[in-house]
Structure formats: structure tokens, C-alpha cells
Amino acid sequence: MTRLMCRECGTATPASDPISRCRCGGLLTLESDAHLSLDRLTERQPSLWRYREAIPIEHDEHIVSFGEGYTPIVSGSLNGKPVLLKLEYLSPSGSFKDRGSTVLVSKLVEWSVEALVEDSSGNGGVSLATYGARAGLRCTVYVPEWSPSAKVLQMERVGARVVKIAGSRHDVEQAAREACESGDPTGNPFYAGHNWSPYFLEGTKTFAYEVAEQLDWKVPDVILFPVGNGSLLLGSYTGFGDLMNLGIVGRMPKLVGIQPEHCGPIVEAFEKGVDHADPVAAAPTVAKGTSIPDPPRGRWILEAVRRSGGMMMSVSENEIVEAMNTLHRGGYFIEPTSAVAVAGLKKYVAGFTEESILVPLTGRALS
Ligand SMILES: *Cc1c(COP(=O)(O)O)cnc(C)c1O
Ligand SMILES: [Zn+2]
């Protein structure tokens, strides 16, 4: 049976009940019977739904998809070192968030939810609004005032109602939750915050399956991720774990997380050697998608990074902009948040040379 388990109090809820977090306020994880199977891969479309057996949606007719996933991997080089780049910015709404949204919105349809509320500074909201539009859901996205205007425009053009909130990222999340508890103009909406939903991670884990399949069932030595809430890193940790359990790959790549110096709660905790991340006072950063001073899944990110033999690193605003400029001139039109990982790569290859490295280019520019 598929169940939603609370990480805090251990309460189990059947996955047929629409909930976004435990009654105690705790984060939920999913325990499911869905298991990766590779038997029929060759007959399937190049989309993340080719790993259908691993994705905990009961009925195919609930799937909400634009054919996302299976993004290209191209070889490039940086400072003379070869690197593999996975072009996540070619996703339907412009970022890897579509991996999470296709699964989360499919589950909302399975739960007969008609209206969703999300809080996001950018791509999470864009992505959920995009998939919400495809599913015919009413969508409201709460955004911080500093949310990039191109993202707000994209949300509105696909039909979402956007509510700007003054204050911290936490205030934005609170406003979204309160709207769900008290009812808002769209009726009784469901809180579908992508930072909390376990279904979102069920989508991002396909990143790992794809990397392995596209590299002929080998894995790179290292993968560098820009880290805000860690949804791509955590999904990958699960995904590579699944592949190891099946005996398909022999080892986990080192998962390396990069954060801006201006907002690096996980880097701070990693360097202190502690097992949880305290909230930080964030300074503004060009990498708005990583401006998460208090990531709900901080503890798991630290665990995943350490268990994989990886590390956390921080990069300055200058390094981020320089990395973005380099990539743009190479024809990769990525957004500043994506450049966080590339800036980290420049630092990483200065110290380590022999490893094979892959970097997801997570989101497209225009922000
Ligand atoms: C959300 C986002 C990130 C950060 O991802 P997390 O999985 O939340 O750490 C990085 N890059 C882009 C383009 C994003 O949209
Ligand atoms: Zn609980």
C-alpha cells in the first residue's frame, strides 16, 4: 500500500487522502510499492513517464504531461576540463521543476482537487501554473515582491492568479497556507507547495534514471547541483539509490551542492559538521531560485550529500554572473540560478581533475 509517512511523529496516512503535510506540521515522505522496471523501456517514448512503474500515480488517465524529461546530455568543457551538461532548461515551462510538477499535478487530479495554491519565487510557480493549466485547475501562486517580472508574467499568461507578498520567503509561504485554511476566492484550494510535497520528489528522481540510461547505465563520478530546497539533489539521491538496489549501477555519484554565499544555510551546516541546517539571514542574490534561507528538507540534503561522499560549496555573486556569461557565450541561455552550479564547477575542477562530472543546467534565462 502507498502511504504518506510523517518524518516527525511517524503517523501514516493512506495515499488516497489528499494532504500536503502532517497534522503535526511535519514533512511527509512517501512509501510506495512503485518500483522501477526497465523491461519495457525500449518501446517507450523519450519522456520521464517511460519509468512509469516507478511513479506512484494509480491510473494512467490521471497523468498530466507535456512529454517532459529525457532532456539531452551534451559534452562541453570548462577551464579545459571535459564536462557533461544536461539541458534541463529545455523543459516545457523552462526548468527542471516540470519533473516534479507533472507528478504532483497528476496526483492532484487523482485526488479530484480543483484548485491549487503554491508559493514560489519563480520557476516552481511557473511550472505548477503550467501543468495546472493543462489539467484545467485554478491556480494561485504567492510570490515574494522581488520575484522576477518575467516569471510573474509567465504565471499570469498561463492563467494563474499571482499574489505578491511583502516580507520574507517564510511570510510568503504562510500567506499561501492561510489562504488554503481560510478558503480564498478560488474556493477551497489545496496547498501544493512544491517544497513540501513528497510527490514532487517522485518526479525529480527520474533525473537519475535518465542520466544512467543516457550514459549506457554508467554514472558520472560527480554531479553538481544548485541547491535551494534540494529537490533535484534529493530526487537524484533516491533515483540512484533505486538503480543501485536493482544492481543496475554499482555506485552512487558524489552529489555536490552549490549555494550562493548570500544564502547558504546548507553550506554553513556542512562546514560546521552538524546534521541540521539553521535558518540564515539571507542577503539578496542574483540566483533567486536558491534564495531559501530555511529549507524544510535541510537535514535530508546534508545526509544525502554526506552519504554520497559529496560536499557543499558556496560561490560569490561575481562568480555566478561570470559563470552565466561564459555559458551564454557558449550558446546556453541559462538563468542566474543555474549558473550557481557552473560557478561551483569552476571551483571544483580547480581542485579535482580526474573525475567525470555532470552538471544539470536547471533553468532558462529571461527573468
Ligand atoms: C528551483 C531551482 C533551483 C533550485 O532547486 P532545488 O531543487 O530547490 O534546490 C535551481 N535552478 C533553477 C533554475 C530552479 O528553478
Ligand atoms: Zn506528524
Side-chain angles (χ1 to χ4, degrees):
M1 191 180 75
T2 302
R3 316 185 293 172
L4 295 160
M5 297 293 302
C6 175
R7 294 273 288 206
E8 304 299 326
C9 73
T11 300
T13 309
S16 49
D17 292 5
I19 56 169
S20 52
R21 67 173 175 180
C22 181
R23 239 170 269 120
C24 81
L27 262 169
L28 299 169
T29 48
L30 200 95
E31 272 184 16
S32 92
D33 320 322
H35 286 301
L36 180 63
S37 159
L38 306 181
D39 298 347
R40 291 167 54 199
L41 273 190
T42 51
E43 46 189 90
R44 295 201 177 149
Q45 296 295 315
S47 119
L48 63 82
W49 289 96
R50 64 198 276 101
Y51 311 107
R52 177 70 183 95
E53 291 83 0
I55 303 176
I57 298 297
E58 303 289 319
H59 303 289
D60 284 354
E61 68 264 30
H62 296 142
I63 293 175
V64 181
S65 171
F66 286 102
E68 54 291 309
Y70 227 72
T71 53
I73 296 178
V74 301
S75 35
S77 73
L78 197 75
N79 296 354
K81 304 272 165 48
V83 56
L84 296 171
L85 301 168
K86 188 156 168 62
L87 310 187
E88 292 292 285
Y89 67 99
L90 301 182
S91 302
S93 85
S95 79
F96 82 84
K97 299 284 196 311
D98 292 347
R99 292 185 185 276
S101 296
T102 184
V103 177
L104 172 52
V105 172
S106 298
K107 193 64 201 177
L108 296 181
V109 168
E110 198 145 88
W111 278 334
S112 303
V113 164
E114 290 173 358
L116 71 82
V117 167
E118 148 84 326
D119 56 283
S120 160
S121 63
N123 291 330
V126 164
S127 182
L128 273 180
T130 300
Y131 283 80
R134 179 125 172 98
L137 307 183
R138 294 185 305 279
C139 300
T140 308
V141 187
Y142 285 76
V143 302
E145 274 181 327
W146 46 262
S147 189
S149 57
K151 309 285 185 204
V152 171
L153 178 70
Q154 192 175 347
M155 292 172 206
E156 288 177 337
R157 291 303 303 165
V158 299
R161 195 169 68 93
V162 176
V163 183
K164 289 191 182 168
I165 300 291
S168 70
R169 187 66 186 74
H170 184 254
D171 296 330
V172 179
E173 184 183 313
Q174 266 324 102
R177 285 189 185 286
E178 276 161 26
C180 294
E181 278 148 26
S182 59
D184 85 344
T186 57
N188 266 329
F190 183 82
Y191 178 70
H194 70 279
N195 297 330
W196 285 81
S197 171
Y199 286 96
F200 199 83
L201 297 184
E202 294 295 312
T204 56
K205 73 185 183 186
T206 61
F207 179 84
Y209 304 160
E210 284 176 24
V211 167
E213 185 183 354
Q214 290 172 301
L215 300 180
D216 228 358
W217 306 109
K218 294 186 189 67
V219 295
D221 295 322
V222 187
I223 306 182
L224 277 82
F225 300 87
V227 168
N229 279 290
S231 60
L232 192 57
L233 188 151
L234 286 171
S236 299
Y237 183 67
T238 304
F240 285 117
D242 292 346
L243 291 165
M244 286 170 63
N245 288 340
L246 285 179
I248 294 161
V249 304
R251 67 196 161 92
M252 171 81 65
K254 291 183 192 171
L255 307 180
V256 175
I258 321 288
Q259 296 196 298
E261 283 171 5
H262 283 189
C263 186
I266 314 287
V267 177
E268 214 167 273
F270 183 83
E271 288 175 352
K272 277 192 202 146
V274 295
D275 67 356
H276 68 281
D278 288 322
V280 293
T285 168
V286 291
K288 297 191 169 68
T290 45
S291 189
I292 314 284
D294 187 14
R297 296 190 176 103
R299 194 180 276 273
W300 313 1
I301 301 170
L302 284 162
E303 198 178 289
V305 165
R306 287 188 175 125
R307 286 205 183 152
S308 74
M311 63 193 285
M312 292 296 304
M313 291 168 62
S314 63
V315 290
S316 71
E317 294 299 295
N318 266 341
E319 288 169 330
I320 297 168
V321 172
E322 255 179 45
M324 184 179 73
N325 291 343
T326 305
L327 272 262
H328 282 184
R329 283 194 298 271
Y332 304 95
F333 195 43
I334 56 164
E335 67 174 80
T337 302
S338 299
V340 168
V342 181
L345 174 68
K346 284 192 182 184
K347 281 193 162 167
Y348 191 86
V349 296
F352 303 76
T353 50
E354 303 304 324
E355 294 168 317
S356 60
I357 304 180
L358 183 139
V359 180
L361 298 182
T362 49
R364 101 180 135 225
L366 295 180
S367 57

